[in-house]
Amino acid sequence: MVSIFRRLGSHSSRTSHVAADRLKGMQESVWVEFIRLAQEVKPVNLGQGFPDFAAPEFVTKALSDAVTGPNVLLNQYTRGFGHLRLVNALSKLYSKLLGRELDPLTEILVTVGAYEALYCTIMALVNPGDEVIIIEPFFDCYEPMTKMAGGIPVFVPLRPKKTHGPISSADWVLDPKEFASKFTNKTKMIIVNTPHNPLGKVFTRSELEMIAELCKKHNVICVMDEVYEWLVFKGSEHIRMATLPGMWERTITVGSAGKTFSVTGWKLGWLYGPHELTRPAQLLHQNCVYTCATPIQEAVAVGFEIEMERMGTPDSYWQDLIETLEPKRDRMAKFLTTVGMAPTVPEGGYFMIADFSEIGSKVNLDSEQGTKDYRFVKWLSRNKKLQGIPPSAFYCNEHKNLGEDYIRFCFFKEETTLEKAEKIIVDLKKSLT
Amino acid sequence: MSSRTSHVVADRLNGIQENVWVELIELAKEVKPVNLGQGFPDFAAPEFITKALRDALKQPDIFLNQYTRSYGHPRLVNALSKLYSKLLCRELDPLNEILVTIGADEAIYCTIMALVNPGDEVIIIEPFFDIYEPVTKMAGGIPVFVPLRPKKTHGPISSADWVLDPKELASKFTNKTKMIIVNTPNNPLGKVFTRSELEMIAELCKKHNVICVMDEVYEWLVFKGSEHIRMATLPGMWERTLTIGSAGKTFSITGWKIGWLYGPRELTKFPQLLHENCISSCATPLQEAIAVGLEIENEHMGTPESYWRDLVDTLEPKRDRMAKFLTTVGMAPTVPEGGYFMMADVSEIASKIDLDAETGMKDYRFVKWLCRNKKLQGIPISAFYCNEHRNLGENFIRFCFCKEETTLEKAEQIIMDLKNSLL
């Protein structure tokens, strides 16, 4: 390709290579590699985070109705910053939860999944040279998005404060001094994910307050990735940073219809915050995708209207989801423990990480490449037909060692899937004794 | 905190404003005019597509509601590959030479952001679809504008009469030129670039080593007497061309926001990478339904069952009807060879009206006046020109004729009444 482009005339004044600099260092994401592997091997797939059972009917029916119904305009362009019916529903829901009136037109942006919400937020607010604090392990897109904006990611890890006995995601904590040291006069933004992927950690009020104090002290924008906000298990409570004193004006919060209604393939999300912060994200969105899919927004709006009516009642879908997931979580934690993979029991979300190092040390991983966890995940997929995700993908290059003893499993799966996974794990253990 | 950029907003948004339609959309909400403004049909989307989505949702394959492949759902990229391989006369690799995007908008965004560096020049032909300029600027690129101009001022004008000046076009290519964006069939003109026009552009691209971005979203909407020609099929152009398409325009479902781009792997891989880090993946059930639609249309192409044939047969008389009533009232239309927009010169009629109550350029004032006073909405054309060339557009208004007969009847009535009131 280079030769094709160089043989014709001289063009040394314009950037002579093809790709823009902002793509430097970008590689295929961890997902692309592992989706490909799964397609090849067809394992019991506990890797990527989505359910393997049907999405709730009240939502899929709403989409079907929107597309085939009498209102033909539901198949045509809608409002760029968010379909009215949806932003009104989001406003109604979050106004209640935030204890403040959320303006549907100026304080909300509907996006193509939480992914685009994060992208627009970062690209709209981060300049080259700005520092962005990212808490590790992190959802993998935070780093490349920060770099694409020319920002400098600054990483600070959560660390388990226990090494023995049952570990909860609550045991993974920030070191206050280390954390404070990351804030400099170049810090523009911090990204916090609660409930957390992959740990399942639900940040406590005092942990959020610690972050809030530093944000206020250093005038930093706080980006809260709260996509798993409805998936919090007994004993924990999801707290919204935007409700903490002094934080509304500097916080953008991101949500996801995919996680809310188990329709990850619908790719619809949103962000909300003060107009000063949502406005730049809205402008970026306008130039990136312009508007999101109308019928999908209509269906998600209907879903919210229905769920809002039954919130806190036994008919609540979110309540049902938690009651479905909690025993799955406990079952997985149990069978992983039985085989010597030490799990971190999550307080929220639908992922579980487990320390496989004991079992990993008994297996020959030489045929695979990469960090230890990459090699174990690939070996496990190819040889035992069980797929997870390697958490070192959620750490910066310098800290990959912090993740390399772990594997991440998704437990948002049918009972039959979990049974198969359990059997594979138990057989694996037997084969190694 | 003086070392970090002390203001909140990133520099790449400097000069970026809410787009020009927002004011007009607000006005429309207030006035509720007969809306010939924004480009979408006011009649139902074809049933075979909406049914395909309904079926996808009911299917036992529950994965149709979960994440699919980042660069494009396999069934859809396979359908696109089959369709375009035929039309391009080359095997289009579904995995490496196609990217599915959130409408053509995101295809343009990813293409520009993935390939344009600060300082790179991007040639944009005016009048241009409005996002080309802000996205080029956001990438740090320098937009370089060159207008199409009507070579006739009297008598019936076709979009074919709007042409580039070859010397002027050639003068825009410098050693900083990275890319040119060409829209055919063109919005708002409806111009369908001829083979020799495309060859002229192609020669310059090859000479100056420029990437050619072809916005071909209206590729199926070409009227009798014209032919849509794909730049990617011209000699020496495959390797330097990225072509963009749109399900919204293809199947009259603008609200589904699914589009695509295709080109050589050496170019496609960059927007793929950007897309992966921006959107991650597009909606699965929508992609599945569109794949089904393409499979059906692929079978019907060239036959009387073809939806695209039917769309053209439906739109052509609407085009002719609109051209007629606009001419009758002294709004000189440019009759489009393709697409579903028509531009008309309103200077004669506007000169008879007091537009002082409105603000902005002449075409904006006329559009707002027409909306407020006559309840008919169009789009002002100066919005499709760069700041320096807005005067080239200020005599024109754009109307969309992809509307129900009843809508067009109402529009016609309003226009005739307007004419009568001015005699």
Side-chain angles (χ1 to χ4, degrees):
Chain A
M1 191 271 301
V2 166
S3 62
I4 291 172
F5 278 76
R6 288 234 168 104
R7 69 165 184 251
L8 305 162
S10 90
H11 22 263
S12 48
S13 289
R14 71 128 164 94
T15 54
S16 50
H17 50 273
V18 172
D21 292 343
R22 66 184 60 82
L23 288 184
K24 267 206 189 92
M26 301 270 157
Q27 293 150 336
E28 247 178 29
S29 72
V30 60
W31 311 116
V32 174
E33 183 183 1
F34 286 94
I35 287 170
R36 210 179 278 139
L37 181 60
Q39 264 161 358
E40 187 193 308
V41 169
K42 305 204 189 308
V44 172
N45 199 336
L46 304 187
Q48 210 182 354
F50 55 74
D52 62 359
F53 46 86
E57 212 183 291
F58 70 96
V59 181
T60 55
K61 184 181 177 305
L63 179 55
S64 187
D65 290 347
V67 168
T68 56
N71 183 356
V72 300
L73 293 180
L74 290 178
N75 283 309
Q76 308 303 333
Y77 291 128
T78 187
R79 180 177 168 268
F81 301 156
H83 186 56
L84 280 180
R85 189 171 185 177
L86 177 56
V87 294
N88 284 331
L90 289 168
S91 162
K92 193 167 169 203
L93 173 68
Y94 285 111
S95 293
K96 203 161 61 181
L97 295 168
L98 297 170
R100 71 176 291 134
E101 273 312 300
L102 193 63
D103 185 317
L105 304 184
T106 60
E107 294 180 331
I108 296 176
L109 172 66
V110 176
T111 56
V112 182
Y115 228 87
E116 196 225 333
L118 291 162
Y119 180 83
C120 286
T121 299
I122 293 170
M123 288 294 277
L125 300 174
V126 173
N127 263 334
D130 283 348
E131 290 177 1
V132 177
I133 297 174
I134 295 172
I135 297 172
E136 297 173 305
F138 55 89
F139 181 60
D140 68 310
C141 74
Y142 303 161
E143 183 183 8
M145 285 181 184
T146 296
K147 286 178 166 168
M148 238 204 293
I152 300 166
V154 172
F155 300 95
V156 59
L158 288 155
R159 289 191 181 80
K161 64 187 187 192
K162 296 170 70 174
T163 40
H164 301 290
I167 297 178
S168 154
S169 53
D171 294 319
W172 286 69
V173 295
L174 292 168
D175 176 290
K177 282 211 181 72
E178 181 184 21
F179 184 60
S181 77
K182 302 295 179 177
F183 284 76
T184 72
N185 60 8
K186 286 191 158 64
T187 309
K188 183 73 179 271
M189 178 183 283
I190 178 170
I191 305 173
V192 183
N193 178 214
T194 180
H196 183 273
N197 170 13
L199 288 174
K201 177 182 178 63
V202 175
F203 282 70
T204 61
R205 183 173 294 277
S206 57
E207 285 172 320
L208 293 176
E209 279 169 351
M210 172 179 77
I211 296 169
E213 283 319 300
L214 287 160
C215 286
K216 286 184 280 190
K217 178 177 175 188
H218 296 271
N219 190 17
V220 166
I221 295 165
C222 188
V223 177
M224 296 302 298
D225 177 351
E226 300 188 9
V227 298
Y228 300 101
E229 58 189 312
W230 317 110
L231 302 178
V232 173
F233 302 118
K234 251 194 308 290
S236 297
E237 184 197 354
H238 177 65
I239 296 166
R240 294 179 172 81
M241 180 71 92
T243 60
L244 267 59
M247 289 307 286
W248 167 255
E249 53 258 40
R250 62 179 64 258
T251 303
I252 289 231
T253 308
V254 170
S256 158
K259 309 290 188 273
T260 294
F261 293 118
S262 312
V263 285
T264 63
W266 287 23
K267 290 296 298 181
L268 198 79
W270 50 83
L271 59 85
Y272 59 80
H275 188 54
E276 293 67 36
L277 296 181
T278 57
R279 175 108 175 113
Q282 287 177 332
L283 289 180
L284 199 116
H285 167 87
Q286 178 188 286
N287 288 298
C288 175
V289 301
Y290 186 64
T291 184
C292 294
T294 315
I296 293 204
Q297 293 188 70
E298 177 81 2
V300 172
V302 169
F304 271 120
E305 288 164 10
I306 292 172
E307 228 1 60
M308 270 192 283
E309 286 297 303
R310 44 191 204 195
M311 243 171 104
T313 77
D315 293 321
S316 160
Y317 173 70
W318 295 329
Q319 183 73 33
D320 180 59
L321 201 49
I322 292 169
E323 286 165 9
T324 304
L325 284 171
E326 202 160 321
K328 293 179 192 281
R329 173 195 73 164
D330 296 340
R331 174 180 192 160
M332 177 175 276
K334 195 163 177 215
F335 73 68
L336 290 178
T337 307
T338 313
V339 316
M341 280 199 201
T344 286
V345 181
E347 301 154 275
Y350 44 59
F351 298 110
M352 183 175 300
I353 70 165
D355 184 335
F356 69 84
S357 45
E358 192 193 300
I359 233 179
S361 63
K362 302 177 186 169
V363 169
N364 184 341
L365 302 176
D366 290 346
S367 58
E368 302 292 351
Q369 291 182 329
T371 50
K372 187 161 65 161
D373 56 331
Y374 268 75
R375 284 185 284 133
F376 182 69
V377 167
K378 285 187 265 189
W379 178 90
L380 193 67
S381 186
R382 262 189 251 281
N383 294 282
K384 300 293 168 187
K385 298 212 181 316
L386 174 65
Q387 182 149 339
I389 288 286
S392 64
F394 302 114
Y395 285 86
C396 68
N397 279 331
E398 290 66 37
H399 293 164
K400 290 221 182 284
N401 58 300
L402 294 177
E404 66 172 354
D405 286 331
Y406 297 91
I407 185 170
R408 186 193 83 171
F409 289 125
C410 172
F411 53 89
F412 193 6
K413 306 288 177 185
E414 289 268 37
E415 280 309 292
T416 46
T417 311
L418 296 175
E419 269 163 27
K420 287 182 192 156
E422 182 167 3
K423 179 141 202 330
I424 290 171
I425 290 280
V426 170
D427 288 348
L428 171 59
K429 173 169 202 214
K430 290 206 183 102
S431 74
L432 295 174
T433 40
Chain B
M1 334 39 67
S2 53
S3 289
R4 71 132 165 92
T5 54
S6 49
H7 52 272
V8 170
V9 181
D11 293 343
R12 64 184 62 81
L13 284 180
N14 275 351
I16 304 289
Q17 298 148 331
E18 244 178 72
N19 78 26
V20 298
W21 314 136
V22 174
E23 185 191 359
L24 298 168
I25 290 171
E26 285 309 303
L27 182 59
K29 269 202 289 244
E30 189 193 310
V31 167
K32 300 193 195 315
V34 173
N35 199 333
L36 304 187
Q38 212 182 349
F40 56 76
D42 61 359
F43 44 82
E47 212 183 288
F48 69 92
I49 279 279
T50 55
K51 183 180 176 305
L53 180 55
R54 192 192 62 203
D55 291 347
L57 294 167
K58 274 205 298 227
Q59 261 202 48
D61 183 0
I62 48 107
F63 290 114
L64 292 178
N65 284 307
Q66 307 305 329
Y67 291 128
T68 187
R69 182 176 166 268
S70 175
Y71 303 157
H73 186 55
R75 189 171 184 177
L76 178 55
V77 295
N78 286 332
L80 288 166
S81 163
K82 193 165 171 202
L83 172 69
Y84 285 112
S85 293
K86 204 161 60 183
L87 296 167
L88 298 170
C89 293
R90 71 176 293 131
E91 273 312 301
L92 194 63
D93 179 344
L95 302 184
N96 293 304
E97 295 181 330
I98 297 176
L99 172 66
V100 176
T101 54
I102 305 296
D105 283 314
E106 196 225 333
I108 289 166
Y109 181 84
C110 286
T111 297
I112 294 176
M113 290 294 277
L115 300 173
V116 172
N117 264 334
D120 284 348
E121 290 177 1
V122 176
I123 298 174
I124 296 173
I125 298 172
E126 296 171 303
F128 58 89
F129 180 59
D130 66 311
I131 66 162
Y132 303 160
E133 184 184 6
V135 178
T136 296
K137 286 178 165 168
M138 258 178 29
I142 300 165
V144 172
F145 300 95
V146 57
L148 288 154
R149 291 191 179 81
K151 63 186 186 192
K152 297 171 69 172
T153 41
H154 301 290
I157 296 179
S158 154
S159 52
D161 295 318
W162 286 70
V163 295
L164 292 167
D165 178 294
K167 282 212 180 71
E168 186 180 18
L169 176 67
S171 76
K172 303 294 181 178
F173 284 76
T174 73
N175 60 8
K176 286 190 157 66
T177 310
K178 183 73 178 270
M179 180 184 281
I180 179 170
I181 305 173
V182 185
N183 178 213
T184 180
N186 177 278
N187 170 13
L189 282 171
K191 177 182 179 63
V192 174
F193 283 69
T194 61
R195 184 173 295 276
S196 56
E197 285 172 321
L198 292 176
E199 280 169 349
M200 172 177 74
I201 295 168
E203 285 316 304
L204 288 160
C205 287
K206 286 183 280 190
K207 178 176 175 188
H208 296 272
N209 191 17
V210 167
I211 295 165
C212 189
V213 177
M214 297 302 298
D215 177 351
E216 301 187 10
V217 298
Y218 300 101
E219 59 189 311
W220 316 111
L221 303 179
V222 174
F223 302 116
K224 254 196 304 291
S226 297
E227 186 197 351
H228 177 67
I229 295 167
R230 293 179 172 82
M231 180 70 92
T233 60
L234 267 57
M237 289 308 285
W238 169 255
E239 54 254 40
R240 62 178 66 256
T241 304
L242 283 170
T243 308
I244 291 170
S246 157
K249 310 292 188 273
T250 294
F251 292 122
S252 311
I253 41 170
T254 62
W256 285 31
K257 292 295 295 180
I258 294 286
W260 49 81
L261 61 84
Y262 58 82
R265 182 188 193 149
E266 293 70 28
L267 289 182
T268 310
K269 69 185 180 193
F270 300 119
Q272 281 181 334
L273 204 51
L274 198 125
H275 168 87
E276 192 184 326
N277 288 292
C278 167
I279 300 293
S280 174
S281 60
C282 297
T284 316
L286 300 183
Q287 292 188 71
E288 176 81 4
I290 290 163
V292 169
L294 286 175
E295 287 164 10
I296 292 172
E297 230 356 63
N298 218 3
E299 286 299 301
H300 292 164
M301 245 171 99
T303 78
E305 270 91 60
S306 162
Y307 173 70
W308 296 331
R309 161 83 62 89
D310 181 58
L311 198 50
V312 171
D313 289 346
T314 303
L315 285 173
E316 200 159 325
K318 292 181 194 280
R319 174 195 72 165
D320 296 340
R321 174 179 193 163
M322 177 175 276
K324 195 161 175 214
F325 71 68
L326 290 180
T327 306
T328 313
V329 68
M331 284 194 201
T334 287
V335 181
E337 302 154 275
Y340 46 53
F341 298 111
M342 184 174 301
M343 265 176 50
D345 186 332
V346 299
S347 46
E348 190 193 307
I349 212 173
S351 64
K352 301 177 184 170
I353 295 165
D354 179 1
L355 299 176
D356 287 346
E358 304 292 349
T359 54
M361 302 226 31
K362 186 161 60 166
D363 55 331
Y364 269 80
R365 283 185 285 134
F366 182 72
V367 165
K368 285 187 271 185
W369 179 90
L370 193 66
C371 187
R372 238 187 271 282
N373 295 282
K374 301 296 170 187
K375 298 206 183 323
L376 176 64
Q377 177 144 31
I379 293 286
I381 288 291
S382 61
F384 296 90
Y385 285 84
C386 69
N387 278 333
E388 289 68 37
H389 294 163
R390 291 213 187 286
N391 57 299
L392 293 177
E394 66 170 349
N395 286 324
F396 296 93
I397 188 172
R398 184 193 83 175
F399 289 122
C400 173
F401 54 87
C402 188
K403 306 287 176 186
E404 289 270 35
E405 280 309 292
T406 47
T407 311
L408 295 175
E409 267 163 30
K410 287 183 191 151
E412 183 167 7
Q413 186 63 51
I414 290 170
I415 290 281
M416 298 312 282
D417 289 348
L418 172 58
K419 178 183 194 195
N420 291 336
S421 75
L422 294 174
L423 295 169

